[in-house]
Amino acid sequence: MIDAILPSWVASAEKFGDAPEETLFPEERPFISRAVDRRRREFVTGRHCARLALARIGVTPAPIPRGERGAPVWPAGTVGSITHCSGYRAAAVAPADVARAVGIDAEPHEPLPDEVLPTIASPEEIAALRVMGEADGAVCWDRILFSAKESVYKVWFPLAGRWLDFSEAVVDIEPSGTFRARLLVADPAIGTNDLPGRWTVSDRLIATSIALPRP
Ligand SMILES: CC(C)(COP(=O)(O)OP(=O)(O)OC[C@H]1O[C@@H](n2cnc3c(N)ncnc32)[C@H](O)[C@@H]1OP(=O)(O)O)[C@@H](O)C(=O)NCCC(=O)NCCS
């Protein structure tokens, strides 16, 4: 699913089940030492997918620690992103001389809880979702918007190293499977205010991605 919305210069791996905990590196175990079963499984399988994806770009299996504010610390010379939700885990990676950043996000294909939408979307974004819902009521456009903003953050944070609020990016979704995120704050490390992305849905899942090439 994730591969279909990534460019050819990004490698990915996904799983609909879970990998055994033995696949973790000893250095990674402290990050889940006090975690509940659900968290252990998503962390383990996210790392497993990351190593499968890294192998596809020729990187020997290595630990991927949790870094600042939870961002994965990728092996030198690589960039990437991990996502997990119920029944799905995925990772996407690229050589750092090819890509500046990659962000992926997966969500259940379900409407957002009513109280969440106004906290992650502007009135203009909500109005655009309403129009799309009238044209195609089978797609949970609000969840795509949320997922797109999560992908924005996963590209933003490793480059900018700071928080980005949901109100600081405006996302325009195209029904054809793309979106554009317009950043309302500038950061020299990002170097652009315009982040193009892609989305896909299945009956059960939504996935979004942003891949920033190195010029
Ligand atoms: C960090 C965040 C984006 C994760 O998204 P999520 O939908 O909750 O969860 P996902 O399963 O898709 O992703 C979790 C993975 O994201 C990665 N991640 C966590 N923090 C990260 C960060 N600061 N930067 C990049 N990646 C991060 C990790 O790999 C994590 O999995 P792991 O802990 O097992 O390694 C989200 O929890 C968050 O804090 N959002 C608020 C910020 C935001 O989205 N702003 C909107 C800007 S428009």
Side-chain angles (χ1 to χ4, degrees):
M1 187 172 181
I2 202 70
D3 193 50
I5 54 167
L6 288 167
S8 58
W9 38 272
V10 176
S12 66
E14 66 187 359
K15 289 246 170 249
F16 297 86
D18 280 319
E21 215 161 297
E22 296 71 56
T23 59
L24 274 193
F25 274 66
E27 297 90 327
E28 294 168 336
R29 294 206 178 112
F31 299 114
I32 52 161
S33 60
R34 282 178 292 173
V36 297
D37 177 63
R38 185 189 59 80
R39 173 63 182 142
R40 298 178 83 86
R41 288 189 289 105
E42 67 181 24
F43 182 87
V44 167
T45 312
R47 259 50 190 182
H48 181 65
C49 288
R51 279 186 270 277
L52 290 176
L54 285 165
R56 290 182 183 145
I57 56 167
V59 177
T60 317
I64 305 165
R66 273 189 101 227
E68 202 189 341
R69 296 223 200 159
V73 181
W74 295 96
T78 65
V79 296
S81 181
I82 294 172
T83 187
H84 27 61
C85 67
S86 179
Y88 187 73
R89 288 85 168 82
V93 300
D97 58 355
V98 172
R100 296 174 60 223
V102 177
I104 61 168
D105 185 72
E107 297 287 327
H109 188 195
E110 293 163 8
L112 284 176
D114 284 347
E115 68 279 11
V116 173
L117 186 59
T119 69
I120 64 108
S122 66
E124 292 74 22
E125 286 173 320
I126 293 173
L129 294 178
R130 201 167 297 127
V131 172
M132 284 188 287
E134 281 161 12
D136 184 349
V139 174
C140 297
W141 300 103
D142 56 350
R143 189 71 77 150
I144 294 176
L145 181 78
F146 175 72
S147 178
K149 289 194 172 189
E150 298 289 63
S151 283
V152 168
Y153 187 70
K154 290 176 181 181
V155 162
W156 165 272
F157 184 83
L159 292 172
R162 62 189 169 101
W163 175 256
L164 183 72
D165 201 73
F166 285 98
S167 61
E168 294 178 311
V170 178
V171 171
D172 285 319
I173 302 168
E174 283 294 328
S176 58
T178 62
F179 65 85
R180 296 202 91 84
R182 189 162 38 88
L183 298 173
L184 304 182
V185 285
D187 190 288
I190 307 285
T192 175
N193 278 2
D194 183 32
L195 303 177
R198 294 170 69 183
W199 63 268
T200 187
V201 297
S202 68
D203 53 344
R204 205 171 57 78
L205 292 168
I206 285 170
T208 58
S209 71
I210 298 175
L212 293 186
R214 194 166 288 284

